[in-house]
Structure formats: structure tokens, C-alpha cells
Amino acid sequence: MGDRELKRDQVELLAKAEGFFDTCVVTALVDLGVFEAIGEQARTAEEVASAIDADPASVKRLLAAGVVTRFLDSDDGERFSLPQACRNVLLRSAGP
């Protein structure tokens, strides 16, 4: 196996792993009701944790993963909001 084939295989494997991570993050966000808990306004991890009855430190880690995967936005790492596309698609209150 040449260097080029090895790099191609590494990129393919990393792409699959990244897709799996994204799927795990969005599934957790949906299953726990994080999108609805955040809603139309930016919220802190503590506010989200209270709304979904979960541990604030764990919720903050999940919210940070949501930012990395671009399912959530945060300017300061303390307040989290939904990008417009997520609001349009993932909030029950946004659609029929």
C-alpha cells in the first residue's frame, strides 16, 4: 500500500467517525429536548439543565459538542442558541 492509498483510507475512516459523532450529538440533543429547552432565546447550560432535569456539567459538555457540530451557536461558550436553520427544522413551535 502506497502513501497515497494510506492517506485516502485515513480520510475515509475519519469521515465515517465524524459522521457517527455528529449523529450521536444530534440524537442526544433531540432525545433530551435540548432544542425545545433553548427555543428562540440564548440560554446558559444551567438554564437548559434545569429545563430538561439534567446535570449542568454534563449538559454543558453536550452543548459544547452541539457547537462543534454546528447544531448550536455560542459566542462565549456560556450562552447557547439555535442557528436559524435548526430553529426552522427542529423546533416543534416553528412548523406544522
Side-chain angles (χ1 to χ4, degrees):
M1 173 184 297
D3 191 46
R4 186 178 183 138
E5 291 84 16
L6 176 61
K7 287 185 182 192
R8 184 195 68 227
D9 290 346
Q10 289 172 335
V11 167
E12 285 181 24
L13 183 60
L14 289 172
K16 288 178 183 179
E18 183 178 302
F20 179 73
F21 178 74
D22 291 356
T23 300
C24 290
V25 170
V26 74
T27 299
L29 292 168
V30 169
D31 286 352
L32 292 171
V34 170
F35 293 118
E36 291 296 326
I38 293 174
E40 298 287 336
Q41 300 180 40
R43 307 261 187 223
T44 65
E46 290 77 16
E47 291 170 325
V48 174
S50 177
I52 65 172
D53 193 28
D55 173 63
S58 298
V59 168
K60 188 164 187 177
R61 286 191 295 276
L62 178 59
L63 296 175
V67 171
V68 169
T69 56
R70 297 188 178 144
F71 290 110
L72 298 174
D73 286 332
S74 179
D75 292 332
D76 59 4
E78 296 298 321
R79 298 188 66 73
F80 301 87
S81 61
L82 302 182
Q84 188 61 50
C86 288
R87 259 187 250 146
N88 294 343
V89 174
L90 296 171
L91 284 182
R92 290 182 196 107
S93 59

